[in-house]
Amino acid sequence: MTAAADDPSVILFDLGNVLFCDPWESLLLTPDAGLVDRWGLDAAMVREAARRLWDEFSVRESEEPEYWQALSRELGRTISPELVAELERTLLVANPVADRLLAAACAGGTRPVGIASNNTSFWYAKQAERLDLARWIDPELVFLSCRSGVTKGSPGRGLLEVAAEHTPPRSTLVVEDRAANLARARALGFRTYAYAFMGSAGVSSTELLETMSG
């Protein structure tokens, strides 16, 4: 790929619903296979509890057993490690074209690629391993809410503001699925692409690949 003058010099990917599934939503809310339907739980109640725990665990370093123990207390039922492992085997899935997207973004090793993600430390570790992120990304361009203590939606200096301190927004492309995060990124001067591998938001995988490949 020959870089054009207006090509972004850095690309930052979100993870959930961009390169990988959204972990807690997939594990708990997937129809038929997720915990809600398997146990016949009230979906709204589980969603509220899980969202509350996400808000807590995504802004600090933590261990996965602590999360499942906390969710067990919220639901009044024990979620065993064996059940978690079973759910993960079938429901934690990567975007099938993630490796192609990352390869296109890297442009043959000539363009730095990073991550900007609201995430927990334990789910990020699993996503990074499954996606072989060490092969593709610059570790100096990994912006995670669990490390920074702020999310993309935090008031004031949030995760995207942290990213803007390390990479020039006007030459950096942010690939993201959530409209509010895209709007905030654009307000900071980032280039943006709306993209989701599950659902119909934004451009298709083919369009994104074509854009990044030149």
Side-chain angles (χ1 to χ4, degrees):
M1 171 179 168
T2 301
D6 60 348
D7 282 343
S9 60
V10 175
I11 296 180
L12 297 179
F13 285 98
D14 185 23
L15 276 172
N17 205 23
V18 174
L19 296 178
F20 207 87
C21 68
D22 282 311
W24 75 259
E25 290 95 331
S26 298
L27 295 170
L28 302 181
L29 303 175
T30 297
D32 299 323
L35 194 65
V36 163
D37 282 357
R38 287 177 63 136
W39 280 0
L41 301 174
D42 179 80
M45 180 272 290
V46 174
R47 185 186 296 274
E48 180 181 352
R51 171 56 64 185
R52 189 163 55 248
L53 291 178
W54 174 259
D55 290 343
E56 174 188 346
F57 281 82
S58 65
V59 291
R60 63 179 176 86
E61 297 280 355
S62 56
E63 299 294 331
E64 186 172 7
E66 182 187 358
Y67 171 85
W68 291 112
Q69 290 162 9
L71 185 58
S72 294
R73 289 192 295 271
E74 291 276 352
L75 303 183
R77 296 184 63 169
T78 300
I79 305 169
S80 69
E82 294 76 18
L83 176 57
V84 172
E86 180 185 345
L87 292 168
E88 289 184 346
R89 278 194 297 272
T90 56
L91 299 177
L92 284 190
V93 297
N95 184 337
V97 298
D99 57 342
R100 294 172 60 196
L101 291 171
L102 288 162
C106 286
T110 64
R111 178 166 52 198
V113 174
I115 298 293
S117 176
N118 292 343
N119 218 322
T120 64
S121 47
F122 48 89
W123 277 324
Y124 176 73
K126 293 183 179 186
Q127 292 166 327
E129 181 179 9
R130 288 275 298 277
L131 295 167
D132 194 17
L133 288 184
R135 175 184 176 191
W136 304 110
I137 64 172
D138 181 340
E140 298 299 315
L141 294 173
V142 176
F143 307 105
L144 302 176
S145 60
C146 59
R147 296 178 183 174
S148 300
V150 291
T151 70
K152 294 173 186 175
S154 293
R157 181 177 177 269
L159 192 66
L160 291 168
E161 284 77 11
V162 173
E165 295 168 4
H166 294 82
T167 181
R170 297 201 178 280
S171 59
T172 300
L173 173 65
V174 173
V175 182
E176 163 74 50
D177 67 314
R178 297 183 185 270
N181 297 337
L182 287 161
R184 187 157 176 170
R186 285 192 294 271
L188 290 167
F190 284 107
R191 307 182 192 190
T192 62
Y193 263 109
Y195 170 76
F197 95 88
M198 293 182 178
S200 57
V203 300
S204 68
S205 297
T206 298
E207 290 170 317
L208 184 57
L209 280 165
E210 289 175 350
T211 297
M212 293 191 298
S213 299

